[in-house]
């Protein structure tokens, strides 16, 4: 069975100022998503599932999903604020969904095969998809422990010159298995030249530039949905009454590793990551895509 690509596309890009998933980046009007799905198809993925919000579903299907209908199976799942485990409800004043783990959970009824997870607005590169597809096509046997993977990039290659970013900061052992992953927010190079970010405990810390980080490119087997249900339920018990708390994928994976329920392979990639967080990031992305076209890595127009 071919793996599925699960695309997290429910965000409206508040810092960017619009629906950046539909913003043209290629020379013929291609979006970053066009390149992502193109890479997934040639790596061997058999289906793409977009996690979106119902309020812009029609526009997304017409503007993005329809592009791929003739080349790969396309499905949709909706991330809804009130889609919660039994016994929980949305607290007064909350208006935003519950984070990336909650987004993956939205696909629990329609994805039954191994799957990769990506952000809709990040450019991950051809080799990254090949690494993920190889892992998912022949995943290790699960003997009481689930085996997952993530594509890792050096932190220094993922910073923005135009503002702060959020990243999952990773540590791994000699076997390239994750030992710890923690979500840091507001990461940027400060005036003294040092890169710092805010950890979940609220402390601001220096981060070594070569540290591998999660760019939300994950490879999971279907049992991850059961793990999410358990971890998300625990999250809601602890922080479900807060207006802006979020349950991040790296935090869930870290919890599973610590509990001995899963391990996670760090997949090294030769690809370069780049993305658009702020409007000023766009020229860099446009230029980088053109360089890849000029080097022969992508056709133009994109098939």
């Amino acid at each position: 069975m071919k793996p599925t690509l699960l695309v997290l596309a429910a965000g409206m890009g508040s810092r960017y100022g619009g629906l950046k998933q539909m913003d043209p980046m290629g020379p013929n009007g291609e979006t970053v998503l066009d390149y992502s799905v193109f890479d997934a198809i040639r790596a061997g993925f058999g289906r793409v599932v977009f996690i979106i919000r119902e309020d812009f579903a029609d526009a997304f299907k017409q503007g993005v999903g329809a592009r791929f209908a003739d080349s790969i199976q396309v499905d949709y799942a909706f991330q809804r604020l009130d889609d919660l485990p039994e016994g929980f409800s949305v607290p007064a004043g909350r208006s935003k969904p519950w984070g990336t783990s909650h987004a993956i959970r939205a696909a629990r009824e329609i994805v039954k095969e191994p799957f990769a997870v990506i952000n809709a607005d990040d450019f991950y590169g051809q080799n990254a998809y090949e690494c993920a597809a190889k892992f998912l096509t022949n995943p290790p046997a699960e003997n009481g422990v689930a085996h997952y993977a993530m594509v890792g990039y050096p932190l220094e290659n993922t910073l923005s010159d135009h503002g702060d970013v959020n990243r999952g900061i990773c540590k791994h052992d000699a076997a390239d298995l994750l030992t710890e992953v923690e979500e840091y927010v507001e990461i940027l190079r400060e005036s003294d030249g040092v890169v710092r970010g805010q950890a979940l405990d609220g402390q601001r810390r220096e981060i070594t530039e070569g540290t591998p980080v999660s760019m939300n490119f994950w490879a999971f087997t279907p049992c991850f949905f059961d793990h999410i249900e358990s971890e998300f339920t625990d999250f809601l018990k602890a922080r479900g009454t807060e207006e802006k708390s979020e349950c991040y994928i790296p935090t869930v994976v870290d919890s599973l590793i610590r509990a001995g329920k899963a391990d996670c392979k760090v997949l090294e990639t030769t690809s370069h990551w780049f993305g658009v967080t702020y409007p000023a990031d766009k020229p860099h992305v446009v230029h980088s895509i053109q360089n890849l076209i000029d080097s022969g890595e992508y056709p133009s127009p994109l098939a």
Side-chain angles (χ1 to χ4, degrees), residues 182-183 185-186 197-205:
E182 181 178 1
E183 187 78 9
V185 299
E186 299 179 6
Q198 182 174 311
L200 291 179
D201 63 5
Q203 298 297 312
R204 192 157 187 84
R205 299 189 178 95

Side-chain angles (χ1 to χ4, degrees), residues 54-256:
E54 289 180 287
D55 60 326
F56 65 82
D58 289 342
F60 191 95
K61 290 178 180 180
Q62 294 172 13
V64 178
R67 297 173 184 256
F68 314 115
D70 294 333
S71 54
I72 192 172
Q73 180 181 341
V74 178
D75 292 300
Y76 302 89
F78 299 120
Q79 184 179 13
R80 301 192 307 272
L81 178 63
D82 60 354
D83 181 16
L84 301 173
E86 186 176 354
F88 294 94
S89 58
V90 179
R94 184 167 189 119
S95 59
K96 64 182 299 184
W98 305 84
T100 50
S101 289
H102 182 239
I104 291 180
R105 183 178 176 272
R108 64 192 181 279
E109 299 299 332
I110 64 172
V111 176
K112 306 299 181 183
E113 63 279 353
F115 63 99
V117 177
I118 65 166
N119 291 333
D121 46 15
D122 288 349
F123 192 105
Y124 293 100
Q126 178 183 355
N127 179 255
Y129 290 90
E130 293 171 347
C131 292
K134 181 178 179 180
F135 177 87
L136 292 171
T137 301
N138 296 289
E142 296 182 349
N143 298 316
V145 177
H147 301 296
Y148 305 141
M150 59 154 278
V151 178
Y153 296 81
L155 173 63
E156 61 190 10
N157 292 342
T158 73
L159 300 175
S160 172
D161 293 331
H162 310 291
D164 61 81
V165 297
N166 301 340
R167 300 288 182 256
I169 304 299
C170 305
K171 297 179 181 179
H172 61 85
D173 60 20
D176 290 328
L177 294 176
L178 275 179
T179 56
E180 181 180 345
V181 56
E182 181 178 1
E183 187 78 9
Y184 274 63
V185 299
E186 299 179 6
I187 301 171
L188 77 164
R189 190 182 304 279
E190 298 185 339
S191 58
D192 59 359
V194 176
V195 176
R196 296 183 179 87
Q198 182 174 311
L200 291 179
D201 63 5
Q203 298 297 312
R204 192 157 187 84
R205 299 189 178 95
E206 178 179 347
I207 310 172
T208 304
E209 293 186 30
T211 299
V213 299
S214 162
M215 300 309 300
N216 250 16
F217 195 148
W218 300 90
F220 296 121
T221 54
C223 65
F224 190 64
F225 289 111
D226 293 330
H227 281 153
I228 279 186
E229 198 69 15
S230 175
E231 294 293 326
F232 186 54
T233 298
D234 290 343
F235 165 82
L236 290 174
K237 290 178 181 177
R239 304 185 61 190
T241 59
E242 299 177 21
E243 290 186 17
K244 297 183 179 180
S245 58
E246 294 188 47
C247 185
Y248 299 111
I249 298 171
T251 305
V252 170
V253 172
D254 183 55
S255 177
L256 295 172

Side-chain angles (χ1 to χ4, degrees), residues 19-37:
L19 189 56
K20 57 186 173 181
Q21 292 90 340
M22 299 182 184
D23 199 0
M25 299 288 173
N28 301 284
E30 297 93 344
T31 66
V32 167
L33 262 178
D34 288 322
Y35 289 97
S36 296
V37 176

Side-chain angles (χ1 to χ4, degrees), residues 243-295:
E243 290 186 17
K244 297 183 179 180
S245 58
E246 294 188 47
C247 185
Y248 299 111
I249 298 171
T251 305
V252 170
V253 172
D254 183 55
S255 177
L256 295 172
I257 292 172
R258 291 175 181 274
K261 297 178 180 179
D263 59 36
C264 187
K265 187 81 170 180
V266 178
L267 304 178
E268 295 185 1
T269 178
T270 59
S271 293
H272 292 277
W273 174 94
F274 46 88
V276 177
T277 302
Y278 302 91
D281 292 326
K282 181 175 178 177
H284 170 70
V285 174
V286 171
H287 178 70
S288 297
I289 289 175
Q290 186 61 55
N291 285 342
L292 291 171
I293 292 171
D294 293 341
S295 68

